[in-house]
Amino acid sequence: MKNVSVWISAMRLRTLPLSISGIILASCLAAYNGYFNWLIFTLAILTTLSFQILSNLANDYGDGVKGTDNEDRVGPDRAIQSGDISPEQMFNAIKLNVLISIGLAFFLIFVSFGVNHFLLTLLFFVLGIASVIAAIKYTVGNNAYGYKGLGDVYVFIFFGLISVIGCYVLYAKTIDHVVFLPAITVGMLSAAVLNLNNMRDIESDVKSNKITLAVKIGISNAKKYQLFLVGGAIVLSALFGILYYTSIFNLMFFVAYIPLILHIKKVVMNKDSKLLDPELKKVALTTVLLAVLMGIGHLL
């Protein structure tokens, strides 16, 4: 049982709700337009979870073998860092997860497009392979892009644009203008979660030569960047609510602005980046809340 709990911990289950928030939002938008399909929804959730778990395991492996995860790290211990899982065991788990992720992605694509949408099938095959590579290359290898300040770009594209717009296309086989503002909103808030993580770890990352965007621009500018991400997400989501307003229920996601505004205040007032760790969970859960309420509110 201890071995099972170690692997569950390595999968970092607390990160999973954020990864599927875009899927839930896109599915609600698809349902509003009459395209929803339960099998596609289930496979999209499973595929996204498999990609996120793959990313978490690969991050544990990459940071572990590079020595980035050490005693200076503020967050919870990683599996390799603590010695609970060896690098060899983690590498084998990554290989298994790659097969699972690719299998789920191919099944999802086949169910969504069949043989009638060749170009979309080809495009999503490429996106599926790109998702696997991106999940691994974030911290693994000599050219890991997470060590070059590019992690925010990855998160914005895959957690926001591809998650929301891509999932909608799986249902509708076409793109609708209604998905763009929600996709950008989720992408910006997801990038805000990563930026929080990087601000928290800025001191240990500098020592380990992990050049995140927060390390590149410094803690003061990283705070301004955080305000831009969260503030921008609030403005764009509010614009979505106004432009596509049909009933008061469409605006119920505005309740998520309360914790987001309190978060902005906390970031501005905070003097010690290490104390930002509790904000990670808050912003992640608020992103999920906003995405779910935005989607459900659009249906009502």
Side-chain angles (χ1 to χ4, degrees), residues 232-293:
I234 290 174
V235 171
L236 293 178
S237 59
L239 182 60
F240 169 81
I242 295 170
L243 290 177
Y244 296 94
Y245 180 86
T246 57
S247 77
I248 191 63
F249 294 109
N250 300 157
L251 306 180
M252 64 183 186
F253 66 87
F254 279 23
V255 69
Y257 294 166
I258 298 173
L260 289 178
I261 292 171
L262 291 175
H263 164 70
I264 289 175
K265 181 180 178 181
K266 185 71 174 288
V267 170
V268 171
M269 300 297 293
N270 189 276
K271 302 298 182 181
D272 185 353
S273 60
K274 293 181 179 180
L275 299 179
L276 291 173
D277 186 61
E279 294 297 300
L280 273 168
K281 185 176 181 180
K282 294 177 184 177
V283 177
L285 291 178
T286 302
T287 302
V288 177
L289 175 66
L290 185 147
V292 172
L293 292 181

Side-chain angles (χ1 to χ4, degrees), residues 174-252:
T174 187
I175 297 178
D176 191 300
H177 54 83
V178 73
V179 299
F180 287 106
L181 288 175
I184 297 172
T185 296
V186 173
M188 293 182 77
L189 288 176
S190 298
V193 174
L194 176 63
N195 187 53
L196 265 178
N197 182 84
N198 292 339
M199 282 196 290
R200 180 199 66 187
D201 295 340
I202 192 168
E203 293 181 11
S204 61
D205 285 344
V206 169
K207 293 179 182 178
S208 303
N209 200 33
K210 182 177 182 180
I211 311 301
T212 63
L213 184 59
V215 171
K216 277 189 172 185
I217 64 178
I219 189 64
S220 177
N221 286 328
K223 287 185 176 183
K224 295 176 184 176
Y225 174 54
Q226 186 73 5
L227 300 185
F228 164 75
L229 291 173
V230 177
I234 290 174
V235 171
L236 293 178
S237 59
L239 182 60
F240 169 81
I242 295 170
L243 290 177
Y244 296 94
Y245 180 86
T246 57
S247 77
I248 191 63
F249 294 109
N250 300 157
L251 306 180
M252 64 183 186

